[in-house]
Amino acid sequence: MFLWGTATAAYQIEGAATEDGRGPSVWDVFAHEPGRTRDGHTGDVACDHYHRWPEDVALMSGLGVNAYRFSIAWPRVLPLGSGEVNAKGLDFYERLVDALLERGVQPVPTLFHWDLPQALEERGGWLERDTAARFADYAAVVAGRLADRVPLWITLNEPFVHMAYGYAMGVHAPGRALLTAALPAAHHQLLGHGLAVRALRAAGAREVAITNNCTPVRPASEGEADLRAAEAYDILHNRLFNDPVLLGAYPDLSAYPPGLTCVQDGDLEVIATPIDALGVNYYNPTRIAAPAEDAGLPFADAGITGHPTTAFGWPVVPDGLRELLTGLKARYGAALPPVHITENGCSQPDVPTEHGTVEDPGRIAFLEGHIAAMRRAMAEGVDVRGYFVWSLLDNFEWAEGYHQRFGLVHVDFATQRRTPKASYRWYAEFLASCRD
Ligand code: FCB
């Protein structure tokens, strides 16, 4: 059965940041620091999903999706990151999973969507090797409760973005700006992924995946310097996270001295523990040029031009999804497992009309275009098994706070009123037509 779903993440929707024993995460701390997020927004309340989840499950049911990707907040389950388990945290996810199953919606949990327990950050976060082992312990705890009911698990969400934004540039939690000294955060996340795959299987999980943010990289010109820069960017964004998982080897990191110095014997075997699916998040392609002489990095973003853009300013290039998927197939061949598009969507201004409706034709066109591109890739032989719209609800968009709306459902953050947008009705009709 092809999975048609929507996706969310814990810190972006749950709120209830201090309730029922939840510990603080790096995002709680970061968002409360002055100047870190637009207008100082935090996820303290977000969509109040922790209390309103029955309404949100009903919205999914009305949509007709057969799958829902959400994330489990590590600090709800283990408030200090390791050690004592908070039963109330697990109870919350168990209630959610059971409610989804009752409605015929397959739960697809992600174990880490960037909300590292602050206690682990204080011990070095993902720069520290021990965090990988703690992640596997946490995976075992959650699977111990839910593996009998959850068919497909996702370990990490977008380790590239977490490393790059959180540790290299400091624009996301934990707010460290280490440039290439952030690379250990890549290796330790990947090691944590491999250890978690093993822990999940030991606890009875049937299928396990990792979700990577992938972008087709286009050189700004055919000149040698631009080609070299594009290759360096492709290595950092895509291959650093796909190669070790699928091929058991890191790509050439010589453009990023000193490279990875924290890899120990046996780590790559752990990271390459076979997985059942690759989760791919796609938003847009990237165009890369050679950097200026004194730039600290071996590439420069040249910007994609000639395409419409979303409210975020991201270029809308549906065929980039086909290009990405066929490119993965070309690179990894038989080593590429079935793929799920675990996120795809766009932010739009989404202002309610005087009649209380939200008309978002741009989002409908975006989704139609990308689903068609995915189908072209499938016709070209890529084994795609699922597609998840980001997102079910407007939510806390990280450093942008509540300013970027990605939902199929509009959320009025003052009242928590949910209003399905035109795109919700479009997706519901589309899904009904798939079932016919
Ligand atoms: C992805 C994140 C997701 C959301 C979308 C817009 O990088 O995984 O949480 O913020 O971007």
Side-chain angles (χ1 to χ4, degrees):
M1 182 181 62
F2 192 89
L3 298 184
W4 289 106
T6 61
T8 63
Y11 189 71
Q12 297 182 272
I13 65 163
E14 285 180 1
T18 56
E19 234 170 286
D20 286 344
R22 178 184 177 281
S25 78
V26 292
W27 265 100
D28 295 290
V29 173
F30 181 82
H32 277 272
E33 285 169 8
R36 294 297 207 175
T37 64
R38 205 165 144 198
D39 292 336
H41 288 172
T42 74
D44 286 359
V45 179
C47 307
D48 196 31
H49 170 79
Y50 191 76
H51 301 113
R52 294 169 195 263
W53 62 270
E55 183 182 352
D56 296 337
V57 171
L59 281 164
M60 278 183 262
S61 189
L63 196 51
V65 289
N66 60 16
Y68 171 47
R69 173 173 179 244
F70 59 99
S71 83
I72 293 180
W74 186 345
R76 268 195 208 288
V77 177
L78 291 147
L80 295 176
S82 62
E84 202 168 326
V85 175
N86 176 33
K88 285 188 175 166
L90 280 177
D91 292 347
F92 170 69
Y93 295 108
E94 183 167 60
R95 284 194 296 273
L96 177 65
V97 161
D98 288 343
L100 290 166
L101 290 170
E102 270 167 36
R103 305 267 193 151
V105 180
Q106 176 179 320
V108 183
T110 300
L111 287 167
F112 180 67
H113 202 124
W114 307 346
D115 45 359
L116 189 76
Q118 178 65 17
L120 293 183
E121 169 60 19
E122 281 158 20
R123 285 166 20 206
W126 287 110
L127 297 172
E128 199 49 57
R129 188 177 172 90
D130 184 61
T131 301
R134 301 290 73 81
F135 180 60
D137 293 347
Y138 153 62
V141 167
V142 179
R145 179 75 84 92
L146 297 175
D148 58 339
R149 279 156 285 175
V150 169
L152 172 63
W153 294 79
I154 295 170
T155 54
L156 305 176
N157 178 69
E158 300 188 354
F160 167 74
V161 176
H162 192 52
M163 174 200 72
Y165 287 31
Y167 288 85
M169 300 188 300
V171 295
H172 277 186
R176 306 214 205 177
L178 302 172
L179 295 177
T180 52
L183 281 172
H187 181 63
H188 296 141
Q189 285 185 87
L190 289 164
L191 184 63
H193 155 77
L195 292 170
V197 173
R198 294 177 176 196
L200 288 163
R201 291 211 197 288
R206 273 172 277 163
E207 289 193 53
V208 186
I210 184 173
T211 280
N212 280 332
N213 174 297
C214 301
T215 183
V217 179
R218 300 171 175 178
S221 78
E222 290 304 310
E224 205 193 305
D226 286 346
L227 287 172
R228 206 173 33 241
E231 163 96 1
Y233 190 75
D234 185 39
I235 284 177
L236 187 71
H237 190 127
N238 299 311
R239 291 175 47 191
L240 176 57
F241 296 90
N242 287 328
D243 283 14
V245 171
L246 301 178
L247 304 177
Y250 276 115
D252 173 9
L253 289 167
S254 55
Y256 301 95
L260 279 173
T261 52
C262 55
V263 182
Q264 296 185 8
D265 282 353
D267 286 1
L268 280 158
E269 286 75 51
V270 174
I271 294 170
T273 304
I275 51 174
D276 306 284
L278 178 69
V280 168
N281 290 355
Y282 171 72
Y283 288 94
N284 51 254
T286 310
R287 193 162 150 264
I288 294 291
E293 284 284 316
D294 55 350
L297 290 166
F299 58 82
D301 188 346
I304 299 262
T305 51
H307 291 271
T309 53
T310 70
F312 226 137
W314 298 354
V316 179
V317 189
D319 197 56
L321 179 55
R322 184 202 55 80
E323 181 185 340
L324 170 65
L325 292 169
T326 54
L328 285 171
K329 177 90 184 155
R331 175 161 180 78
Y332 297 105
L336 182 70
V339 171
H340 288 272
I341 310 304
T342 39
E343 286 180 28
N344 179 234
C346 62
S347 63
Q348 297 284 318
D350 295 341
V351 182
T353 64
E354 62 194 47
H355 311 292
T357 61
V358 181
E359 305 302 328
D360 55 347
R363 181 171 290 105
I364 295 172
F366 182 101
L367 297 174
E368 272 179 332
H370 285 76
I371 289 171
M374 172 182 77
R375 286 179 159 163
R376 288 198 294 279
M378 292 166 78
E380 289 180 41
V382 185
D383 184 1
V384 185
R385 306 271 178 98
Y387 176 88
F388 297 74
V389 175
W390 183 271
S391 177
L392 174 68
L393 304 167
D394 292 340
N395 60 46
F396 175 79
E397 177 46 37
W398 309 115
E400 287 288 305
Y402 298 97
H403 291 289
Q404 300 294 340
R405 294 181 175 274
F406 277 88
L408 296 170
V409 176
H410 181 272
V411 178
D412 177 336
F413 293 103
T415 61
Q416 291 296 342
R417 188 188 152 95
R418 276 102 161 111
T419 305
K421 302 177 189 175
S423 58
Y424 174 100
R425 289 190 294 280
W426 173 82
Y427 197 37
E429 280 163 25
F430 170 79
L431 295 177
S433 75
C434 291
R435 280 192 300 272
D436 290 343

